[in-house]
Amino acid sequence: MSTITGLTRGGSQWTPAFVTALNQNNCIGCGRCFKVCPRDVFELIDRDDLDLDDDDDFDDEFDEAPGMVMNLKNVMDCIGCESCSRVCPKGCLSHEPQPLAA
């Protein structure tokens, strides 16, 4: 099965890895992925609207946005740059190359 590939400006082959999942249990609602995304893939939503496991064992320096969590709004708009994963302090995002459309 062939996957989607592209070329860099320099002519090197590149395989984008598109966002496939977001772990909302680990998300701290910082909005970094939303800010860095060049497309309309994410949205910040009220944590109370979700049925999440609130047993958070993390003790870190990141301040959680009160009552907010990131959500995948439009995964089909993802271009596979993985910028969101590079800035996520909790490693909440999963990415995979995708097959070519038939």
Side-chain angles (χ1 to χ4, degrees), residues 21-70:
L22 189 154
N23 184 335
Q24 292 176 319
N25 284 319
N26 290 346
C27 180
I28 59 173
C30 67
R32 292 175 187 175
C33 56
F34 178 83
K35 292 175 188 173
V36 75
C37 182
R39 308 294 296 179
D40 193 27
V41 176
F42 302 98
E43 66 182 341
L44 204 54
I45 62 171
D46 193 335
R47 187 177 296 270
D48 293 336
D49 293 342
L50 303 171
D51 183 27
L52 296 177
D53 176 15
D54 288 334
D55 187 23
D56 189 2
D57 295 332
F58 297 107
D59 183 22
D60 55 32
E61 70 277 9
F62 300 106
D63 291 331
E64 183 177 309
M68 303 303 280
V69 66
M70 199 55 62

